[in-house]
Amino acid sequence: MISLMLNGEPHELDLDPQTPLLWVLRDHLGLTGTKYGCGKAECGACVVHLDGEPVNACVTPLSAVQGKSVTTIEGLSPDGRHPLQLAWINEAVPNCGYCQPGQIMMAAALLNKSPRPSDAQIDQAMSNVLCRCGTYNRIRQAVRRAASPEARNG
């Protein structure tokens, strides 16, 4: 049995401990916001937070989350109104949208550590998630918007 907190709720899972977290989330728990991209931790489409740190769910075995807290894109905000989600809409970031959950989760981890990141910090953090559509300028602008005092104060 693997015990974890998932989006603030306790879960006990009787699954193979080597199963990648991505497939546990998608296939066993029905949380399909986290995407499969490469299966090698190279694209970032599957980024979730493990105890607040971004990890690639495609290569994180279920055993690694024992006793820990996992947050997925579904758990970032119960109503989809997290400052990053709103900034993504306001800046019209998504093109195809496939990488966006990973992008938003990576940006959330960045803002948790650096509430007012520089462009260099944004670019460094976001370089871990690939966007095939090339919306990097809009992503940077959305992170800036979400980091603004107005966004944080609602």
Side-chain angles (χ1 to χ4, degrees):
M1 247 349 171
I2 305 286
S3 300
L4 67 138
M5 292 294 286
L6 176 60
N7 296 332
E9 299 290 327
H11 285 268
E12 289 200 6
L13 303 168
D14 188 14
L15 299 169
D16 180 346
Q18 293 310 306
T19 305
L21 178 60
L22 174 65
W23 301 120
V24 172
L25 295 171
R26 291 182 62 80
D27 294 346
H28 297 280
L29 299 172
L31 298 174
T32 58
T34 305
K35 304 301 183 204
Y36 173 80
C38 68
K40 301 179 195 176
E42 293 178 359
C43 74
C46 66
V47 170
V48 298
H49 294 175
L50 182 59
D51 284 346
E53 295 296 320
V55 298
N56 291 298
C58 70
V59 296
T60 301
L62 182 59
S63 61
V65 304
Q66 169 61 39
K68 297 185 178 178
S69 177
V70 175
T71 304
T72 67
I73 189 72
E74 293 92 346
L76 193 60
S77 169
D79 61 1
R81 299 196 53 80
H82 185 280
L84 280 165
Q85 292 167 316
L86 296 174
W88 245 246
I89 293 166
N90 288 327
E91 296 297 330
V93 173
N95 195 2
C96 83
Y98 198 81
C99 69
Q100 299 311 305
Q103 298 280 2
I104 291 171
M105 294 305 289
M106 187 62 76
L110 169 64
L111 293 181
N112 285 339
K113 286 188 176 193
S114 300
R116 298 293 304 245
S118 67
D119 284 351
Q121 289 172 306
I122 293 169
D123 292 347
Q124 174 62 38
M126 303 312 293
S127 71
N128 294 312
V129 186
L130 301 178
C131 176
R132 291 182 66 183
C133 301
T135 64
Y136 298 112
N137 289 333
R138 293 193 311 245
I139 289 167
R140 185 184 313 112
Q141 189 58 34
V143 174
R144 280 191 211 129
R145 179 186 286 260
S148 72
E150 299 80 26
R152 290 194 315 250
N153 296 328

